[in-house]
Amino acid sequence: MHQQKPDLSFWQIWNMCLGFFGIQFGFALQNGNVSRIFQTLGAEMDQIAILWVAAPLTGLLVQPIVGHFSDKTWTKLGRRRPFFLYGAIATTLALIFMPNSPHLWVAAMMLWILDAAINVTMEPFRAFVGDNLNKKQRPQGFAMQSFFIGVGAVVASALPWMMTNWFGVSNIAPEGMIPDSVVYSFYAGGVVLFLAVGWTILRSKEYSPDQLAAFEAAEQQANPVEVEVVKVRDNYWASGAAAVVIGVLFWGFVYLQQLDQNLYLLGALIASFGVLQWLTSWFKQQNNRNMLVQIIDDLYAMPGTMKQLAVVQFFSWFPLFAMWIYTTAAVTSHHYGTSDTTSLAYNTGADWVGVLFAVYNGFAAIAALIIPWLARRITTQRTHSINLTCGALGLFSFFWIQDPALLWLPMIGIGIAWASILSLPYAMLSNSLPAHKMGIYMGIFNIFIVLPQLLAAAILGSLLKYFFGGEAIYALALGGVSYLIAAVYVLFVRTSKTVKG
């Protein structure tokens, strides 16, 4: 009889999650300052969203691939930790170069590189928790990650403001130049990220694939759960053709209606997915079980729980991307009355947005300590629904509050939602996945984080331009509506285990 996966101590969980402190340091600097860098280098308001497309598109490509390879990796350093190491090195270098971008196109290219590197580091961390913790401790593990995400982002988001107000570093610069407060913040972020991820690599251990298989068998024997058998398709010719046709028709619609050219991206993505399915079918006919075939098979064989959570994730992450792209523009224009990136008012407002981002991450760190307790008492689904509703109210509040000094109040609700998004969906998902597929399914799951970001990048600029007079504040309101949809849908999520037939 196999032994079940043992409980880990508080400090063991602490060590394995500390790397997320550094990862979020990088993400927070990116989310809080990239729009500012783009605007400083000459980007127009309706260009910002499409320039941000680099971030989700790299996640869409990188995360399933990293998940696939990390499932199949076993070295002296372990299964997931090699990806932590190489991703951290690349991310640190990208953080150092990003604020030194001399031109807008260079900054856009660096966002691709930076986000790809962060994704290589981050994606295996989700599977790392699923690998090392038993079912009972997984909510605690994901909550600990949320705690470190919150704490890391508090410091990183406020860092440009602290550079100016505590250390006297200038937050203004000549036209086309990035302020020193931003540049030095990115340098500090690179160092912190590398040290934090390095701590997790050195202070954590991993179970071998054989040990994980034995633990999974023991857990299933001790706690039988419903198993959903999903049959893998023989081919994807029909579904691929449907995707290609839809993509081409969408291109035609955008062309005939003379819509924003950014919308061509959506058609390209849909058609590309169709082509990938055709390639998968061709490889299957050749009996070639390569990486693409395995990823597409796993995508279509997703557990029922994962399919439901994918919808929740889609409507949960659209508001976040809208907020990350447009909060700086919304606050500086709506509350500070300027869009002149060389003005003191604009840069003061942009620095204040960094503080606001620090505030919501601070509340997220606090909420992460309470969420597991609440989930045990009223179910994970209900807890997540309540938290998402708090996020919706927070985004709507940007309309109601006129004094920028009071904008920290909406960040309470946004922080609660953020902590919940980073923990509860993953806790529900990991309990429904086979151990040997933890990495690839976590990578595929993140596709449904990326898709709403791509949608936001493709359509938000057009929506604001054609329907809201270019007013960025309305992007936050659309995000609030999306949060409410997710809050309702999560109540219908049910959990089960799955195997492929």
Side-chain angles (χ1 to χ4, degrees):
M1 182 175 179
H2 296 298
Q3 180 184 1
Q4 294 189 60
K5 197 177 296 181
D7 287 349
L8 298 187
S9 70
F10 173 85
W11 291 113
Q12 286 174 310
I13 298 175
W14 175 281
N15 289 336
M16 63 183 283
C17 294
L18 180 64
F20 246 111
F21 175 82
I23 292 172
Q24 191 57 34
F25 222 90
F27 260 129
L29 286 170
Q30 173 183 294
N31 294 337
N33 296 280
V34 166
S35 289
R36 179 180 185 176
I37 291 172
F38 285 161
Q39 283 188 281
T40 300
L41 294 175
E44 299 295 334
M45 182 62 63
D46 58 352
Q47 293 179 310
I48 293 177
I50 199 63
L51 288 170
W52 264 92
V53 76
L57 193 55
T58 50
L60 181 67
L61 298 172
V62 170
Q63 291 183 6
I65 294 172
V66 171
H68 170 82
F69 281 115
S70 70
D71 277 340
K72 298 179 180 299
T73 295
W74 186 253
T75 69
K76 292 181 179 179
L77 196 57
R79 192 183 199 185
R80 316 293 181 187
R81 289 179 295 167
F83 296 89
F84 299 166
L85 175 61
Y86 299 127
I89 293 171
T91 305
T92 298
L93 294 175
L95 283 169
I96 292 171
F97 191 85
M98 179 75 188
N100 293 297
S101 300
H103 305 288
L104 180 59
W105 69 267
V106 176
M109 181 184 70
M110 284 308 306
L111 180 57
W112 282 84
I113 296 172
L114 175 59
D115 205 78
I118 292 178
N119 274 289
V120 170
T121 314
M122 180 195 70
E123 197 284 330
F125 261 97
R126 299 295 189 189
F128 196 49
V129 169
D131 290 343
N132 285 7
L133 298 181
N134 56 39
K135 183 176 180 179
K136 180 181 67 176
Q137 286 195 308
R138 282 172 185 167
Q140 181 183 351
F142 288 116
M144 182 72 78
Q145 285 189 349
S146 297
F147 170 77
F148 278 122
I149 287 171
V151 173
V154 165
V155 181
S157 297
L159 203 52
W161 182 89
M162 290 189 290
M163 287 285 182
T164 298
N165 291 275
W166 294 0
F167 304 108
V169 180
S170 176
N171 72 338
I172 57 175
E175 185 176 358
M177 299 292 293
I178 311 301
D180 285 344
S181 60
V182 175
V183 174
Y184 295 155
S185 295
F186 272 70
Y187 292 168
V191 174
V192 171
L193 183 143
F194 189 79
L195 292 177
V197 174
W199 179 273
T200 290
I201 293 171
L202 294 174
R203 302 290 294 178
S204 299
K205 296 181 179 180
E206 296 187 68
Y207 295 118
S208 70
D210 290 341
Q211 288 175 305
L212 288 174
F215 286 139
E216 184 179 33
E219 184 177 290
Q220 176 65 20
Q221 185 177 31
N223 302 288
V225 296
E226 178 186 352
V227 176
E228 175 192 2
V229 179
V230 181
K231 183 174 177 59
V232 175
R233 292 191 190 183
D234 294 327
N235 68 76
Y236 303 96
W237 294 113
S239 55
V244 170
V245 170
I246 292 171
V248 172
L249 289 176
F250 188 80
W251 280 337
F253 177 77
V254 173
Y255 175 77
L256 292 174
Q257 298 297 318
Q258 296 184 334
L259 300 178
D260 195 303
Q261 292 185 352
N262 293 344
L263 295 174
Y264 283 116
L265 174 66
L266 289 180
L269 289 172
I270 296 169
S272 298
F273 180 56
V275 172
L276 288 176
Q277 292 180 76
W278 283 346
L279 283 173
T280 300
S281 298
W282 184 81
F283 284 130
K284 281 194 166 191
Q285 288 180 344
Q286 311 304 312
N287 292 319
N288 185 349
R289 294 285 303 170
N290 58 27
M291 179 185 66
L292 175 62
V293 172
Q294 294 178 56
I295 289 176
I296 295 296
D297 277 349
D298 288 334
L299 176 65
Y300 275 95
M302 286 191 301
T305 298
M306 185 172 171
K307 292 176 182 177
Q308 291 180 303
L309 287 171
V311 177
V312 176
Q313 289 293 82
F314 183 93
F315 287 104
S316 300
W317 280 84
F318 184 89
L320 290 168
F321 203 60
M323 181 181 73
W324 292 333
I325 295 175
Y326 284 109
T327 299
T328 297
V331 170
T332 53
S333 62
H334 188 78
H335 297 90
Y336 284 82
T338 183
S339 57
D340 179 3
T341 60
T342 64
S343 68
L344 180 61
Y346 176 90
N347 285 284
T348 300
D351 284 349
W352 183 233
V353 170
V355 176
L356 295 178
F357 279 19
V359 170
Y360 90 73
N361 281 288
F363 281 108
I366 297 170
L369 303 176
I370 302 171
I371 285 172
W373 173 86
L374 186 61
R376 287 194 296 269
R377 280 155 179 78
I378 65 169
T379 77
T380 305
Q381 290 90 330
R382 291 176 183 172
T383 301
H384 197 43
S385 179
I386 292 170
N387 296 339
L388 292 173
T389 302
C390 291
L393 294 175
L395 288 178
F396 289 141
S397 295
F398 274 83
F399 270 101
W400 307 329
I401 296 174
Q402 297 302 314
D403 184 354
L406 297 178
L407 289 177
W408 65 271
L409 291 171
M411 293 303 175
I412 299 174
I414 293 169
I416 292 171
W418 178 229
S420 193
I421 290 166
L422 292 173
S423 57
L424 295 187
Y426 293 98
M428 286 185 275
L429 176 66
S430 61
N431 292 334
S432 302
L433 300 179
H436 69 288
K437 289 286 186 180
M438 190 71 69
I440 181 60
Y441 273 128
M442 286 292 181
I444 290 174
F445 190 54
N446 283 331
I447 289 175
F448 300 99
I449 294 172
V450 170
L451 289 178
Q453 295 179 29
L454 287 170
L455 182 66
I459 71 169
L460 274 177
S462 298
L463 288 176
L464 295 182
K465 180 178 180 180
Y466 293 117
F467 296 103
F468 300 107
E471 294 291 333
I473 193 74
Y474 287 97
L476 305 185
L478 292 173
V481 173
S482 187
Y483 264 146
L484 292 179
I485 294 172
V488 172
Y489 193 86
V490 73
L491 296 173
F492 299 95
V493 172
R494 58 191 295 272
T495 57
S496 63
K497 203 94 170 181
T498 189
V499 297
K500 290 195 299 184

